[in-house]
Amino acid sequence: VIFFKCYTISADDTADMDVFQTGSQPQLQFGQAKEPRYLLYDVNPGEGFNLRRDVYIRVANLVKVLNEDEPWILVLPPWGRLYHWQTRELGAQIKIPWSVFFDLESLRKHIPVIEFEDYLKVIGKPVIGEVYYLQGYREGWGKWEEKMDIRECNDKPRYEQDENGKWKGPFFYYDDIYAEKFACMSAQSYAVSMKPFLMKNTTARSVFLDRAEALIHGTFSEWSAEFWTARRSMRFSRELRDIGDAFREKYLRSNDKKDRTELKDWTDMKRKHGDALGGPYLAVHLRRKDYLHAHGEQVPTLKNAAKQIKKFLNKYDVQRVFVATDAPDEEFIEFVQKFKKTKIYRFEPTKDILEKYKDGGVAIIDQWICAHARVFVGTYVSTFTFRIHEEREILGFSQESTYNRLCGSKEDKECEQPTKWSIIY
Ligand code: GFB
């Protein structure tokens, strides 16, 4: 059944929305405070941490535009079982709340958010109103136009209806959660274009968009101020920043005052390129493991990587190198042995830090330290590297010191450097 058509947002779309139904709540009249509705989402299980952060920005901006007309709260999807989180001793690494990694107060200066567990408390039952599983069009993309239609599922869905009519699915590894309604939706849409559908075609108190990575930024992309507003609100948790800062001070002679990287409330912070100096070290993101297969041509040998780093050390006249890497220890040691005098550092978490903040937290600490270096050299199209670029844009580094990458051993002069995403306020 196709019960709605493709919409684009215009001021008129929302003109008749003064009265609306919120799930089981009585109809509310204009002028009354409206009950908030809840938007939940999830991402393809195969996607990594840093693409997921980008999906947050898309969904956050959808919630932002929804709130221009009615109150919606974004339910933060607990982190769990990411392919790259491989430290065995930590067990499953599931149901991790956002507050372990991010500063929720900072997110809330952009849009209303709550943790999934708090959503369950507010609702009082382990229930989600409606789930829409986003998918492509079976017949292919065709010419680009925004559209969305309820369709049969292209593949066997991850959700099944039980004998009581409840839809069970992989709700963040919480066993007893169910949805009251489920449908597949073919969507070729900007994230914010979901607004009319959410406001007019569903009255459920909570709506869950699965495979939300299918929604694209559209005009709210890296080239827009809205993207950057949401991105600036995504501050790492205070505790993780403190751990990174202590490491910088202890091993890299780096602190915010000297480096001109002091943080302010992001709503007041506006930096120009070159305002930040950075600590007296080079940072490199040396992506290895599955990347050797996925992007073999663009990943240098360790010997070649060391050669490239040495050139940057000369250019920037720094003697310390901070390495953020997923490389196994043997590879890291091999890399270190390529240097004679230069001091090479890697962040090694204590057992307590690892247990508390998990692989995700350690990766964030690595990113934070990279974000504060005098010069940064990343890995070809790695989203881990991209998020460091953004952090450095926010801190006010020169673009020359940020948008560098390691080149594959055979790339030589054709080694294209990363796209510059200039911050916009
Ligand atoms: O974040 P991510 O999507 O970046 O996935 P890419 C890489 C993950 O590996 C990170 C770990 O989230 C970390 O868990 N990792 C990578 C690191 N580099 C580092 C590092 O320097 N330090 C630490 N501590 N951890 C894409 C994946 O990864 O690569 C795709 O999203 C696919 O699924 C593709 O695997 C080949 O964009 O680099």
Side-chain angles (χ1 to χ4, degrees), residues 46-52 82-85 284-288 290-291 294-295 323-327 359-360 362-364 366-367 370 379-385:
E47 301 295 351
F49 182 71
N50 287 292
L51 180 104
R52 285 164 186 269
L82 298 197
Y83 162 75
H84 303 94
W85 293 352
V284 54
H285 175 220
L286 187 67
R287 181 82 162 82
R288 304 290 293 175
D290 53 331
Y291 231 71
H295 297 290
V323 184
T325 187
D326 57 340
D359 286 329
V362 174
I364 286 173
D366 271 352
Q367 287 183 312
C370 287
T379 289
Y380 174 75
V381 301
S382 162
T383 53
F384 187 103
T385 283

Side-chain angles (χ1 to χ4, degrees), residues 44-45 133-135 138 151-162 167-170 182-185 210-211:
N44 179 14
Y133 185 84
L134 305 182
Q135 60 180 14
R138 205 185 275 272
R151 287 276 179 94
E152 259 179 37
C153 298
N154 292 348
D155 302 307
K156 191 174 179 310
R158 313 200 275 162
Y159 300 84
E160 278 183 356
Q161 205 166 19
D162 71 11
W167 287 91
K168 292 293 182 68
F182 169 82
C184 282
M185 177 191 277
D210 196 357
R211 300 296 303 265

Side-chain angles (χ1 to χ4, degrees), residues 137-145 147 188:
Y137 280 82
R138 205 185 275 272
E139 63 273 24
W141 287 77
K143 92 172 173 22
W144 166 257
E145 59 178 345
K147 53 183 178 180
Q188 200 166 276

Side-chain angles (χ1 to χ4, degrees), residues 15-276:
D16 60 345
M17 296 303 292
D18 294 330
V19 178
F20 74 107
Q21 190 83 24
T22 52
S24 58
Q25 302 300 311
Q27 193 155 334
L28 297 164
Q29 299 303 318
F30 179 71
Q32 264 181 269
K34 291 173 177 173
E35 277 279 324
R37 298 173 70 193
Y38 295 88
L39 187 67
L40 299 96
Y41 75 98
D42 201 358
V43 173
N44 179 14
E47 301 295 351
F49 182 71
N50 287 292
L51 180 104
R52 285 164 186 269
R53 284 177 59 188
D54 191 65
V55 176
Y56 169 83
I57 293 182
R58 304 175 214 176
V59 183
N61 277 335
L62 167 60
V63 170
K64 175 94 180 160
V65 297
L66 280 165
N67 273 280
E68 289 166 4
D69 289 288
E70 57 183 41
W72 282 77
I73 298 175
L74 181 61
V75 182
L76 300 165
W79 299 96
R81 197 157 285 159
L82 298 197
Y83 162 75
H84 303 94
W85 293 352
Q86 295 174 349
T87 303
R88 289 228 174 135
E89 307 85 76
L90 292 175
Q93 301 197 54
I94 55 171
K95 300 184 182 174
I96 302 173
W98 275 56
S99 58
V100 173
F101 299 145
F102 295 99
D103 178 343
L104 263 50
E105 287 317 307
S106 176
L107 297 179
R108 287 190 180 121
K109 288 181 185 161
H110 182 54
I111 53 155
V113 298
I114 56 168
E115 300 274 18
F116 184 63
E117 299 236 350
D118 293 328
Y119 161 82
L120 293 176
K121 282 182 205 147
V122 173
I123 296 291
K125 298 195 279 189
V127 65
I128 292 167
E130 297 176 1
V131 173
Y132 294 92
Y133 185 84
L134 305 182
Q135 60 180 14
Y137 280 82
R138 205 185 275 272
E139 63 273 24
W141 287 77
K143 92 172 173 22
W144 166 257
E145 59 178 345
E146 279 202 273
K147 53 183 178 180
M148 49 184 82
D149 298 276
I150 298 296
R151 287 276 179 94
E152 259 179 37
C153 298
N154 292 348
D155 302 307
K156 191 174 179 310
R158 313 200 275 162
Y159 300 84
E160 278 183 356
Q161 205 166 19
D162 71 11
E163 60 283 5
N164 302 314
K166 293 177 174 174
W167 287 91
K168 292 293 182 68
F171 295 113
F172 315 117
Y173 302 98
Y174 285 77
D175 290 335
D176 50 349
I177 314 282
Y178 66 93
E180 283 163 343
K181 190 176 152 190
F182 169 82
C184 282
M185 177 191 277
S186 291
Q188 200 166 276
S189 168
Y190 301 142
V192 293
S193 303
M194 292 297 290
K195 175 178 173 174
F197 170 74
L198 292 171
M199 286 178 68
K200 291 185 173 180
N201 292 83
T202 138
T203 53
R205 188 157 180 218
S206 58
V207 180
F208 183 109
L209 301 176
D210 196 357
R211 300 296 303 265
E213 77 282 2
L215 301 170
I216 57 178
H217 284 297
T219 49
F220 287 55
S221 73
E222 291 89 334
W223 307 109
S224 77
E226 289 85 357
F227 170 90
W228 283 101
T229 306
R231 178 61 183 84
R232 288 187 296 136
S233 75
M234 271 194 112
R235 286 251 163 106
F236 294 131
S237 79
R238 168 98 245 172
E239 291 174 37
L240 292 177
R241 284 187 272 134
D242 284 349
I243 296 169
D245 289 345
F247 185 92
R248 287 166 55 210
E249 180 83 57
K250 185 165 180 192
Y251 298 105
L252 301 167
R253 301 182 180 170
S254 163
N255 66 51
D256 288 336
K257 207 162 174 43
K258 282 195 292 191
D259 302 354
R260 307 203 301 257
T261 49
E262 279 166 301
L263 276 192
K264 281 182 26 185
D265 181 328
W266 66 264
T267 58
D268 287 338
M269 190 167 151
K270 205 169 182 176
R271 296 268 160 85
K272 290 197 292 296
H273 291 126
D275 281 353

Side-chain angles (χ1 to χ4, degrees), residues 318-329:
V318 288
Q319 277 81 43
R320 282 158 204 253
V321 175
F322 175 76
V323 184
T325 187
D326 57 340
D329 287 348

